[in-house]
């Protein structure tokens, strides 16, 4: 609105100066009037610091000074035009030199949800399933009173987070909403499992990062479906375990404790990044070099398409 008024005022000034200059004896009154207009629009500079308001203030002050003959010589029309341009150039330079505008802070509808499930559980085994989209998923053991604690840090406008349980079955899902048109910010889903319970786990990851630490967990069987995801897995060192992975265009990293051996069977296209400590057997399977000395064994079965597997030993 201010810019439009200034343009109208400037247009009137040009018409008066060029076409009707001979009709006005006291041109100083006209300059004084427009000087007041520009100063009025420049006063908000003290609250809204911008090059535009500062330029208005400088140019308005020049017009007022000229109308009272306080400058060395009276200004003609073209001098006024040049000084107007110079005022905004000077204002832009000063504004950029002394004032850095802060980028507006985008508000994120972040929710932190914590659930302890299932209540009143007295069994010794539990089936857990998770399915996540565009998330950071962590599964690990913890000293908690419930079999499962789920903690989710999400944007409620982007994700649909659900958890449910039925007896010895627990489900935790975090799915992108179909109607969402925003660029999604990744959610963080943390699953804590109680030590001393035997778990069967099914995890589906879609364009997500997963860190599945079963080191202190008794896992009867684990099934992972990964699509365009990065998944790091530490097998159980509490008992023997079986891990079945269906991987599509994903990166799988197995972190093997020293006292756990690995038996690997794979079907499909799989890029082995590092199999230095793996020995291939006649049937095409691989066993880790510590197979005869390890206390426990993890049986890893992978069906893959255009995926990568890395195996490393950890203390």
């Amino acid at each position: 609105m201010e810019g439009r008024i200034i343009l109208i005022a400037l247009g009137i000034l040009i018409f008066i100066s060029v076409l009707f200059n001979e009709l006005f004896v006291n041109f100083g009154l006209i300059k004084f009037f427009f000087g007041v207009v520009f100063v009025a629009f420049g006063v908000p500079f003290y609250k809204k610091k911008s090059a535009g308001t500062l330029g208005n203030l400088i140019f308005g002050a020049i017009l007022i000074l000229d109308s009272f003959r306080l400058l060395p010589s009276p200004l003609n029309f073209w001098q006024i035009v040049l000084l107007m341009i110079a005022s905004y150039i000077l204002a832009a330079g000063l504004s950029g030199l002394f004032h850095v505008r802060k980028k507006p802070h985008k508000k994120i509808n972040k929710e932190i949800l914590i659930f302890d499930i299932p209540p009143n559980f007295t069994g010794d085994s539990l089936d857990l399933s998770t399915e996540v989209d565009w998330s950071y998923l962590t599964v690990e053991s913890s000293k908690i009173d419930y079999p499962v604690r789920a903690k989710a840090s999400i944007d409620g406008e982007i994700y649909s987070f659900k958890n449910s349980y039925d007896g010895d079955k627990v489900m935790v899902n975090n799915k992108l909403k179909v109607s969402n048109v925003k660029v999604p910010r990744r959610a963080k889903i943390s699953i804590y499992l109680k030590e001393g319970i035997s778990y069967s786990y099914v995890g589906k990851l879609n364009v997500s990062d997963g860190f599945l630490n079963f080191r202190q967990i008794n896992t009867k069987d684990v099934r992972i479906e990964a699509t365009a995801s990065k998944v790091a897995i530490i097998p159980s060192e509490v008992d023997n375990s079986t891990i079945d992975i269906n991987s599509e265009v994903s990166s799988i990293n197995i972190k093997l404790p020293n006292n756990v051996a690995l038996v690997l069977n794979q079907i499909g296209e799989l890029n082995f990044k590092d199999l230095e400590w793996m020995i291939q057997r006649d049937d095409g399977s691989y066993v880790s070099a510590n197979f005869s000395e390890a206390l426990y064994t993890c049986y890893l079965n992978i069906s893959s398409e255009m995926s990568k597997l890395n195996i490393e030993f950890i203390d």
Side-chain angles (χ1 to χ4, degrees):
M1 184 64 181
E2 294 178 2
R4 294 177 182 178
I5 295 177
I6 290 175
L7 289 176
I8 293 173
L10 182 60
I12 294 174
L13 178 61
I14 293 174
F15 273 109
I16 291 176
S17 301
V18 176
L19 301 178
F20 304 104
N21 191 37
E22 299 297 332
L23 301 178
F24 290 91
V25 177
N26 193 355
F27 186 55
L29 290 176
I30 299 175
K31 289 188 286 186
F32 174 76
F33 169 75
F34 287 109
V36 172
V37 171
F38 278 92
V39 169
F41 287 132
V43 169
F45 171 76
Y46 296 101
K47 293 183 179 180
K48 181 183 177 182
K49 292 181 172 58
S50 67
T53 54
L54 181 58
N56 294 339
L57 193 62
I58 295 174
F59 183 57
I62 292 174
L63 290 179
I64 292 176
L65 291 175
D66 183 52
S67 66
F68 284 101
R69 302 182 182 275
L70 297 178
L71 298 179
S73 61
L75 300 175
N76 60 36
F77 170 73
W78 297 113
Q79 288 175 323
I80 292 175
V81 172
L82 290 175
L83 285 173
M84 181 189 69
I85 297 172
S87 297
Y88 290 106
I89 293 175
L90 178 62
L94 292 175
S95 178
L97 183 63
F98 297 107
H99 177 63
V100 179
R101 295 180 65 89
K102 295 183 179 179
K103 292 183 179 180
H105 178 69
K106 184 179 179 180
K107 185 178 179 181
I108 299 175
N109 299 312
K110 185 177 180 180
E111 300 179 46
I112 298 179
L113 310 173
I114 300 176
F115 300 93
D116 290 322
I117 47 180
N120 304 319
F121 182 78
T122 57
D124 57 3
S125 65
L126 186 139
D127 295 341
L128 170 66
S129 66
T130 64
E131 184 173 359
V132 297
D133 295 340
W134 193 244
S135 303
Y136 295 105
L137 172 67
T138 301
V139 178
E140 59 186 339
S141 64
S142 180
K143 298 185 182 300
I144 54 179
D145 297 327
Y146 290 84
V148 177
R149 171 170 291 173
K151 181 179 180 181
S153 178
I154 63 172
D155 184 339
E157 293 185 357
I158 297 176
Y159 295 95
S160 174
F161 179 84
K162 296 180 180 179
N163 71 88
S164 62
Y165 56 87
D166 181 12
D168 60 352
K169 294 179 174 59
V170 174
M171 180 187 69
V172 178
N173 290 350
N174 187 55
K175 304 289 291 179
L176 284 169
K177 294 181 179 179
V178 177
S179 60
N180 171 59
V181 295
K182 297 170 62 177
V183 177
R185 178 187 179 92
R186 280 204 176 188
K188 294 182 179 180
I189 311 296
S190 299
I191 306 294
Y192 302 98
L193 305 181
K194 183 180 180 180
E195 297 178 6
I197 295 180
S198 180
Y199 292 89
S200 291
Y201 175 70
V202 177
K204 297 180 180 180
L205 297 92
N206 301 309
V207 199
S208 298
D209 288 358
F211 179 67
L212 312 178
N213 184 1
F214 302 118
R215 192 166 191 168
Q216 300 300 322
I217 302 172
N218 185 358
T219 53
K220 293 183 297 183
D221 56 85
V222 174
R223 286 183 293 154
I224 305 296
E225 295 182 14
T227 303
S229 298
K230 295 169 60 177
V231 185
I233 304 174
I234 302 180
S236 172
E237 59 179 357
V238 176
D239 201 350
N240 296 331
S241 60
T242 300
I243 300 177
D244 297 321
I245 299 177
N246 184 6
S247 176
E248 296 183 5
V249 198
S250 296
S251 175
I252 310 298
N253 186 18
I254 305 297
K255 297 177 178 289
L256 200 64
N258 287 327
N259 61 342
V260 178
L262 184 68
V263 177
L264 169 63
N265 291 280
Q266 69 92 15
I267 300 174
E269 184 179 347
L270 185 64
N271 178 23
F272 298 100
K273 182 178 180 182
D274 188 0
L275 291 179
E276 181 180 356
W277 298 99
M278 301 295 293
I279 302 169
Q280 188 172 17
R281 299 192 293 191
D282 294 338
D283 62 358
S285 63
Y286 293 83
V287 296
S288 58
N290 66 339
F291 182 76
S292 59
E293 300 141 5
L295 298 176
Y296 305 105
T297 301
C298 173
Y299 297 90
L300 177 62
N301 306 306
I302 298 183
S303 174
S304 67
E305 293 183 13
M306 300 178 62
S307 295
K308 181 174 65 175
L309 172 66
N310 179 51
I311 300 173
E312 60 179 297
F313 287 87
I314 60 174
D315 295 329

